[in-house]
C-alpha cells in the first residue's frame, strides 16, 4: 500500500524535497541552498549540476529521515523556478554553460528591439509581455554566445529545458525530455491557444525545434526514477508545474476567480480564469495554470521580481538584521515608516510596470530615520507592490477581489500579512500548510496515479490557519499610497546605459 507522495521543490535559492501523506500533511522536509552567480551587473546564473546534486541529495535525505521504503512512495511531483534556461548535450548530459536565471537582465536591450514590431504579435500568441524575464531571449543568447552551440543545436545534438525538464532528464538517466504547459507557457515560444510550440516564434528567436522538450499534461506519468536514485526504480514521476501554478493548485484555487499570492524570492499573484484566456489590458500576463486530462485551466498573473529577496538584502547587503525573521521585531519597534519608502525593484520592475531599467530606491530619509523605519518600509514595499498588481487585475476582470489566499516563506510574518490587509482593505487568508507550492506538485502527481481520486477530495483537505482584517484608517492609507506612487516614479527608468 503506497502511503506517500514526494514533491521536489526546486527554487531560486534552494532545492527542497517534501514528503506528504494522504491527508496532505508534511511528513518530512530536507533543504539545501546552492550558490548564486553574479558575473556582471544584472546577470544571474546557476550551475545546473548544483541544481541537480542538491535536488537529488535532499530527495534521498528526506526518504532516509522519514524511513520511507520505495514501495511506499506512490509518485514524485516536480515544481520549479520558472523561465530559468539551460541547454545540455543530449549524448553526455553535460550543460553547455551555466543556467541563465529568470531574474537575469542581460537580454533586456535585445527584448527592447522587438517590442515595437513584435510586441502585440507575441502577446496574442503567448499571453506574455516582451521581457528578458522569459526563456526565449535567454535560449538565443546561449546559442549565440557559447562557442559551437548553434551548430550543435542545428544538428539536433543539444536539449533545452527549464528546470523541470532538466530534473526529469537526470532522474530518468536521459530517457525522458518533457515539460508541462505551465512551464512551456513561460518560455515565450509556446502558443497558449493551440498548446503547441509556435513555428513563427521559433523563427523569430532563431531557436531550432529539435532543442525543445515534448509538452505533456501537468498530471500524468512521464517516466520512472532510475533505480540508482530510488532503489527499485519503479517510482513514477507523475506531476509537473511551475512553482506559481503549483501554488495556485496547492491552495486549491480551482474555481474561476480565486486568487493566491506567494511570498517567496519574488511575489507572484495568480487568478484562476477558468477555461478561457483573459487578455490583460493592464500589463498582466495570461498564462496556462495547468492541464489535467484534456482540460486546460488558464490564469492571469502579476509578478514582483523582488519580494522576500528584499528582506534577504536587508540582512546580507545592509546587514541591519542577522536573520530574515528579525525584520519583523525590528519593524515592530516603530509605529509607522517615518516617511521612508522602499521600492525594492532590485532586478527591475515586473507587473504592472514592466520597467527593465528601474532600480531599488529608498526615499524620504531624514536625520531621524532609523534601521527600524527601513525595515518597516521594506515590508510595506513588498505589500504595496502586490497591491498594485491586484488593482490591475481587478480592472481586467471588472470586479473586486473577495478572497485572497497567501503562502510562501514571508507569509509566515504576521506583521507583513497585517500590512497587506491594511493596504488592501479586505481580508487575507493564510492556510495551515504554507508549503503550497510543493503541495500542488504532490497533488498533481498523486492524482495521476490514483493516490487521490479527484480535486474535490483534495479541496476538503485545505484548512485556514488565520485571517487578517484591515485595521488602518483609510485617510492614512491614502497618504501612504500617494507617497508610494511618487516613490515608484522615482525608481523608474534609472539605468540609462
Amino acid at each position: 500500500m503506497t502511503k506517500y507522495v514526494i514533491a521536489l521543490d526546486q527554487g531560486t535559492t534552494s532545492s527542497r524535497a517534501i514528503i506528504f501523506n494522504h491527508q496532505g500533511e508534511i511528513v518530512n522536509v530536507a533543504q539545501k541552498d546552492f550558490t548564486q552567480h553574479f558575473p556582471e551587473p544584472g546577470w544571474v546564473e546557476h550551475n545546473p549540476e548544483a541544481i541537480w546534486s542538491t535536488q537529488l541529495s535532499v530527495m534521498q535525505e528526506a526518504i532516509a529521515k522519514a524511513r520511507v521504503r520505495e514501495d511506499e512512495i506512490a509518485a514524485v511531483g516536480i515544481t520549479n523556478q520558472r523561465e530559468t534556461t539551460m541547454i545540455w548535450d543530449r549524448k553526455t548530459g553535460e550543460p553547455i554553460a551555466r543556467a541563465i536565471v529568470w531574474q537575469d537582465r542581460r537580454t533586456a536591450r535585445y527584448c527592447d528591439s522587438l517590442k515595437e514590431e513584435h510586441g502585440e504579435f507575441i502577446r496574442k500568441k503567448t499571453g506574455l509581455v516582451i521581457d528578458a524575464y522569459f526563456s526565449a531571449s535567454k535560449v538565443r543568447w546561449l546559442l549565440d554566445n557559447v562557442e559551437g552551440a548553434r551548430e550543435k543545436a542545428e544538428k539536433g545534438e543539444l536539449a533545452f529545458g527549464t528546470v523541470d525538464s532538466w530534473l526529469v532528464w537526470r532522474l530518468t538517466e536521459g530517457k525522458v525530455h518533457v515539460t508541462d504547459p505551465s512551464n512551456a507557457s513561460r518560455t515565450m515560444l509556446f502558443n497558449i491557444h493551440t498548446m503547441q510550440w509556435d513555428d513563427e516564434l521559433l523563427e523569430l528567436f532563431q531557436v531550432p525545434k529539435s532543442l525543445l522538450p515534448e509538452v505533456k499534461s501537468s498530471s500524468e506519468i512521464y517516466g520512472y526514477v532510475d533505480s540508482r536514485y530510488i532503489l527499485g526504480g519503479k517510482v513514477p514521476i507523475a506531476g509537473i508545474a511551475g512553482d506559481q501554478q503549483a501554488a495556485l493548485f496547492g491552495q486549491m484555487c480551482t474555481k474561476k476567480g480565486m486568487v493566491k499570492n506567494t511570498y517567496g524570492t519574488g511575489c507572484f499573484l495568480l487568478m484562476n480564469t477558468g477555461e478561457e484566456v483573459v487578455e490583460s489590458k493592464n500589463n498582466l500576463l495570461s498564462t496556462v495554470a495547468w492541464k489535467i486530462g484534456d482540460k486546460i485551466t488558464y490564469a492571469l498573473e502579476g509578478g514582483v521580481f523582488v519580494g522576500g529577496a528584499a528582506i534577504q538584502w536587508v540582512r546580507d547587503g545592509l546587514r541591519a538584521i542577522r536573520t530574515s525573521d528579525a525584520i519583523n521585531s525590528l519593524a515592530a519597534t516603530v509605529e509607522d515608516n517615518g516617511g521612508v519608502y522602499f521600492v525594492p525593484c532590485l532586478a527591475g520592475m515586473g507587473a504592472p510596470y514592466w520597467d527593465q531599467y528601474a532600480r531599488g530606491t529608498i526615499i524620504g530619509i531624514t536625520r531621524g530615520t532609523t534601521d527600524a523605519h527601513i525595515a518597516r518600509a521594506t515590508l510595506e514595499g513588498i505589500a504595496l507592490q502586490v497591491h498594485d498588481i491586484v488593482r490591475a487585475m481587478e480592472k481586467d476582470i471588472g470586479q473586486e477581489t473577495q478572497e485572497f489566499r497567501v503562502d510562501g516563506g514571508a507569509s509566515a510574518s504576521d506583521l507583513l500579512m497585517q500590512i497587506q490587509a491594511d493596504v488592501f482593505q479586505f481580508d487575507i487568508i493564510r492556510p495551515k500548510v504554507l508549503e503550497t507550492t510543493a503541495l500542488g506538485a504532490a497533488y498533481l502527481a498523486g492524482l495521476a496515479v490514483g493516490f487521490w481520486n479527484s480535486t474535490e477530495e483534495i479541496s476538503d483537505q485545505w484548512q485556514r490557519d488565520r485571517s487578517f482584517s484591515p485595521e488602518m484608517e483609510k485617510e492614512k492609507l491614502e497618504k501612504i499610497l500617494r507617497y508610494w506612487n511618487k516613490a515608484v516614479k522615482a525608481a523608474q527608468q534609472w539605468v540609462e546605459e
Side-chain angles (χ1 to χ4, degrees):
M1 177 67 183
T2 54
K3 298 178 181 177
Y4 309 105
V5 173
I6 299 177
L8 305 184
D9 182 358
Q10 205 300 301
T12 308
T13 58
S14 70
S15 297
R16 294 190 299 166
I18 304 182
I19 300 176
F20 293 96
N21 63 19
H22 196 267
Q23 287 71 48
E25 298 164 335
I26 293 172
V27 175
N28 211 288
V29 183
Q31 177 171 344
K32 276 189 182 172
D33 292 347
F34 57 89
T35 303
Q36 310 289 302
H37 299 275
F38 309 102
E40 292 187 32
W43 291 31
V44 189
E45 296 179 347
H46 291 159
N47 181 344
E49 293 294 349
I51 288 175
W52 163 242
S53 62
T54 53
Q55 192 63 75
L56 176 62
S57 67
V58 292
M59 178 181 77
Q60 294 174 334
E61 181 187 336
I63 291 169
K65 284 198 302 189
R67 296 183 178 175
V68 170
R69 298 194 316 271
E70 61 274 9
D71 61 353
E72 294 179 311
I73 304 167
V76 170
I78 293 173
T79 182
N80 55 286
Q81 53 165 315
R82 304 171 306 170
E83 298 95 17
T84 294
T85 298
M86 50 190 82
I87 299 177
W88 61 92
D89 188 291
R90 287 184 181 275
K91 278 186 185 167
T92 66
E94 291 286 319
I96 66 166
R98 285 184 188 151
I100 303 180
V101 180
W102 57 274
Q103 296 165 315
D104 190 283
R105 312 310 296 166
R106 76 185 66 181
T107 59
R109 292 291 177 203
Y110 167 64
C111 288
D112 281 349
S113 72
L114 298 175
K115 284 180 180 175
E116 194 169 329
E117 187 178 349
H118 302 290
E120 190 61 17
F121 157 78
I122 287 175
R123 191 185 64 77
K124 287 278 187 196
K125 285 176 178 279
T126 67
L128 306 177
V129 175
I130 294 180
D131 193 85
Y133 174 32
F134 305 107
S135 310
S137 64
K138 302 180 195 298
V139 178
R140 178 171 176 158
W141 191 95
L142 285 169
L143 292 179
D144 288 344
N145 288 276
V146 176
E147 190 176 346
R150 185 164 289 285
E151 292 78 5
K152 280 190 160 186
E154 300 287 359
K155 292 178 189 170
E157 295 174 5
L158 300 181
F160 151 71
T162 42
V163 171
D164 56 307
S165 302
W166 172 242
L167 292 178
V168 174
W169 174 279
R170 294 301 296 259
L171 286 166
T172 62
E173 283 293 283
K175 293 185 182 73
V176 181
H177 186 211
V178 297
T179 189
D180 91 301
S182 72
N183 281 292
S185 68
R186 313 298 296 188
T187 61
M188 213 187 276
L189 298 170
F190 187 75
N191 188 317
I192 63 172
H193 305 279
T194 64
M195 298 294 283
Q196 302 286 330
W197 297 117
D198 191 276
D199 289 333
E200 288 181 294
L201 293 172
L202 293 176
E203 186 178 341
L204 175 64
F205 287 100
Q206 297 183 347
V207 175
K209 205 166 194 174
S210 62
L211 270 179
L212 304 173
E214 183 182 357
V215 183
K216 300 271 200 173
S217 77
S218 307
S219 180
E220 66 175 278
I221 296 173
Y222 315 106
Y224 296 84
V225 179
D226 191 85
S227 57
R228 73 176 66 187
Y229 306 127
I230 297 179
L231 292 176
K234 293 176 184 170
V235 178
I237 305 165
I240 295 174
D243 50 11
Q244 303 314 320
Q245 291 96 326
L248 190 70
F249 197 74
Q251 283 275 35
M252 281 290 104
C253 293
T254 53
K255 294 191 176 75
K256 187 176 179 179
M258 293 182 79
V259 185
K260 73 88 198 173
N261 187 49
T262 299
Y263 296 82
T265 302
C267 292
F268 293 91
L269 193 145
L270 272 74
M271 172 184 281
N272 184 326
T273 62
E275 294 180 54
E276 64 172 321
V277 178
V278 173
E279 291 191 1
S280 177
K281 304 283 192 295
N282 294 282
N283 281 333
L284 301 178
L285 308 176
S286 308
T287 199
V288 179
W290 51 75
K291 181 184 178 188
I292 299 175
D294 294 326
K295 186 179 175 185
I296 303 156
T297 300
Y298 293 96
L300 264 182
E301 176 176 334
V304 171
F305 295 155
V306 174
I311 297 171
Q312 292 173 336
W313 176 77
V314 171
R315 181 193 68 196
D316 302 335
L318 207 57
R319 297 189 180 178
I321 51 176
R322 287 193 173 180
T323 65
S324 294
D325 290 346
I327 198 167
N328 299 303
S329 53
L330 179 58
T333 62
V334 289
E335 288 186 11
D336 55 38
N337 62 21
V340 176
Y341 290 82
F342 180 15
V343 186
C345 48
L346 309 180
M349 279 182 180
Y353 302 103
W354 294 106
D355 183 348
Q356 308 193 69
Y357 308 108
R359 289 296 180 266
T361 303
I362 302 176
I363 203 162
I365 296 170
T366 67
R367 286 190 66 181
T369 299
T370 67
D371 54 356
H373 291 120
I374 291 174
R376 190 171 188 95
T378 303
L379 296 179
E380 289 182 357
I382 295 168
L384 287 160
Q385 289 179 110
V386 175
H387 165 273
D388 292 350
I389 293 172
V390 170
R391 296 307 179 215
M393 206 167 266
E394 288 174 339
K395 287 178 189 170
D396 273 341
I397 62 163
Q399 67 183 57
E400 293 185 354
T401 307
Q402 300 300 315
E403 181 179 285
F404 193 79
R405 295 184 177 186
V406 299
D407 57 71
S411 69
S413 165
D414 289 353
L415 179 56
L416 176 57
M417 293 302 98
Q418 185 57 55
I419 290 170
Q420 192 72 81
D422 288 340
V423 166
F424 278 144
Q425 295 289 298
F426 56 70
D427 288 358
I428 303 294
I429 299 166
R430 186 170 66 194
K432 282 198 171 174
V433 177
L434 288 181
E435 300 291 356
T436 53
T437 302
L439 188 57
Y443 282 155
L444 289 166
L447 280 171
V449 297
F451 188 72
W452 291 288
N453 294 317
S454 65
T455 52
E456 290 72 28
E457 179 190 351
I458 294 170
S459 290
D460 292 339
Q461 295 184 357
W462 190 89
Q463 292 178 297
R464 77 171 60 198
D465 165 50
R466 183 175 165 185
S467 294
F468 296 84
S469 300
E471 296 173 355
M472 185 181 288
E473 309 84 29
K474 287 194 175 176
E475 295 77 22
K476 187 176 180 183
L477 174 61
E478 284 169 7
K479 181 182 177 184
I480 287 172
L481 290 174
R482 189 167 70 251
Y483 276 94
W484 167 253
N485 290 330
K486 285 178 72 175
V488 167
K489 286 188 177 72
Q492 287 177 300
Q493 291 294 321
W494 180 256
V495 178
E496 292 179 351
E497 66 275 5

